Amino acid sequence: MANTAYDTAGQTPAASPWAAVGVSPMDELVYRTILHQPDAGAAGWALLTRTSPSQVRESCHRLLHLGLLQPPDSMGGLRAVDPRVAVRALIRRRETESELLAATAQDMATAYDAGLLREDPSRLVDVVSGEGATAARLEELYAHAEREVCVFDTPPYLAPLTPQLDLQAELLSRGIAYRAVYAATALEDPKVLLQAWKMVELGEQARVLPSVPVKLLLVDGGRAMLPLTASTAGGYCAVVVRNSAVTEALQKLFDLAWQQATPLGRPVGDGELSEGEQALIRLLAAGMKDEAVARHLGVSLRTLRRRVSELQERLGAASRFQLGVRAARRDWV
């Protein structure tokens, strides 16, 4: 009659799923009895559960509070609420309580970090050495992201790009916002450019600047990872900084760069531009030099400049700046 199941391997009681919504074993027993014998009344339910009427009345009071029972009315005594309705309501209530608890935990974490900072400032900073340790810490930061990841992307690249793409794709699949500001020099590498376009297709918000101040990964505005050194001779060291004035400053730095950056173009609608024109527009919007654009497209500088002139003539643009403005108005970038 108890509400516990047994693990056949270890013969230990397994908690009832009702416990997850705050229903005790006794209250579950009474509720199940009322479902089976709705007209038995408190005395009858006490006999069926082998408990006293006072215990049954106490359980009924708790079940009323949980919304599993309806109070007496002109039609009769206590009645059970349809379990499908009542349990959904309990689950929603628990979800709300969990969200409030998570918000409280975040506020308490801020106080906790402030306490650490006062006690021992060095505990808010971790130095990570070596590519393997750096990759592991990077994966950990991605896994614990809850709201948003912000990235400054610039060479040199010491790790393979594919694992990074997989981590970022998994992040986006969880509904985490991902904003990246790429240095134009990074996108001169065809592999990096291809990865950036793939990420944009998956939902990344990507922008471009001629350069970015530092390589940076910023998670939820409270945890940051940035390099200390980057040389093949001396190895690679990075620093991870937790909630502090440093992470607040890094978030402000990123937001300022984001406002100044140019969006990395998405493919435009069918029929507006040829594939070659789409690629040209997107590379120009990324702020690349003519030599890099020509290299990406596999054409000579003369051919590239002729194509740019044709686009300017098509849009009635007297300069490349005007070309960019008019292309943006048409949502080509």
Side-chain angles (χ1 to χ4, degrees), residues 17 63 71 81 90 105 109 138 140 155 172 174 235 262 323:
L63 292 168
V81 175
L90 280 173
L138 191 67
E140 177 187 335
L172 289 166
R174 292 195 282 122
T262 302
L323 171 63

Side-chain angles (χ1 to χ4, degrees), residues 27 41 50 54 59 73 135 197 213 232 243-245 265 330:
D27 295 345
R50 299 179 185 176
S54 63
S59 277
D73 56 22
W197 280 344
T232 53
N243 295 70
S244 62
R330 295 192 178 203

Side-chain angles (χ1 to χ4, degrees), residues 6 16 21 35 282 297:
Y6 278 85
S16 165
V21 289
L35 290 175
R282 293 166 77 184
L297 297 178

Side-chain angles (χ1 to χ4, degrees), residues 95-110:
E95 288 174 346
T96 301
E97 292 171 351
S98 297
E99 290 170 1
L100 290 173
L101 180 60
T104 301
Q106 184 59 44
D107 291 340
M108 295 175 72
T110 301

Side-chain angles (χ1 to χ4, degrees), residues 136-185:
R137 182 57 65 90
L138 191 67
E139 187 172 349
E140 177 187 335
L141 288 169
Y142 274 121
H144 287 88
E146 296 179 352
R147 299 186 308 279
E148 181 183 57
V149 170
C150 299
V151 172
F152 280 146
D153 192 302
T154 186
Y157 298 103
L158 302 181
L161 294 176
T162 301
Q164 295 287 320
L165 182 61
D166 292 340
L167 285 173
Q168 294 167 20
E170 191 277 332
L171 193 81
L172 289 166
S173 72
R174 292 195 282 122
I176 307 299
Y178 195 98
R179 291 191 290 161
V181 177
Y182 293 88
T185 51

Side-chain angles (χ1 to χ4, degrees), residues 18-270:
W18 285 88
V21 289
V23 179
S24 70
M26 175 65 187
D27 295 345
E28 179 188 347
L29 178 60
V30 172
Y31 182 61
R32 288 181 179 274
T33 302
I34 295 172
L35 290 175
H36 287 292
Q37 298 289 336
D39 299 322
W45 297 327
L47 287 172
L48 291 167
T49 57
R50 299 179 185 176
T51 57
S52 68
S54 63
Q55 287 178 299
V56 168
R57 283 191 291 270
E58 290 174 0
S59 277
C60 288
H61 178 75
R62 290 190 293 269
L63 292 168
L64 277 166
H65 177 72
L66 290 168
L68 291 166
L69 294 181
Q70 292 179 345
D73 56 22
S74 59
M75 301 300 291
L78 289 168
R79 287 180 296 162
V81 175
D82 184 333
R84 290 163 293 194
V85 175
V87 170
R88 288 194 191 100
L90 280 173
I91 291 172
R92 285 194 296 271
R93 183 190 302 180
R94 280 300 166 109
E95 288 174 346
T96 301
E97 292 171 351
S98 297
E99 290 170 1
L100 290 173
L101 180 60
T104 301
Q106 184 59 44
D107 291 340
M108 295 175 72
T110 301
Y112 171 75
D113 289 334
L116 285 181
L117 185 60
R118 287 191 297 271
E119 179 186 351
D120 182 3
S122 66
R123 294 173 67 179
L124 292 180
V125 178
D126 291 333
V127 176
V128 185
S129 300
E131 293 179 31
T134 300
R137 182 57 65 90
L138 191 67
E139 187 172 349
E140 177 187 335
L141 288 169
Y142 274 121
H144 287 88
E146 296 179 352
R147 299 186 308 279
E148 181 183 57
V149 170
C150 299
V151 172
F152 280 146
D153 192 302
T154 186
Y157 298 103
L158 302 181
L161 294 176
T162 301
Q164 295 287 320
L165 182 61
D166 292 340
L167 285 173
Q168 294 167 20
E170 191 277 332
L171 193 81
L172 289 166
S173 72
R174 292 195 282 122
I176 307 299
Y178 195 98
R179 291 191 290 161
V181 177
Y182 293 88
T185 51
L187 300 180
E188 292 178 4
D189 183 333
K191 293 180 181 178
V192 176
L193 181 62
L194 179 60
Q195 173 179 295
W197 280 344
K198 284 182 178 178
M199 290 304 302
V200 169
E201 291 171 0
L202 290 173
E204 175 187 290
Q205 302 171 64
R207 296 189 179 184
V208 185
L209 283 174
S211 64
V212 297
V214 65
K215 291 172 75 74
L216 172 69
L217 175 73
L218 185 61
V219 178
D220 296 332
R223 283 161 293 164
M225 185 173 184
L226 57 161
L228 289 177
T229 61
S231 71
T232 53
Y236 184 84
C237 287
V239 62
V240 177
V241 185
R242 289 183 285 279
N243 295 70
S244 62
V246 175
T247 53
E248 291 176 7
L250 289 170
Q251 184 67 64
K252 290 177 181 177
L253 175 65
F254 179 87
D255 290 338
L256 180 62
W258 180 260
Q259 292 171 11
Q260 297 172 345
T262 302
L264 184 64
R266 297 172 180 265
V268 299
D270 292 340

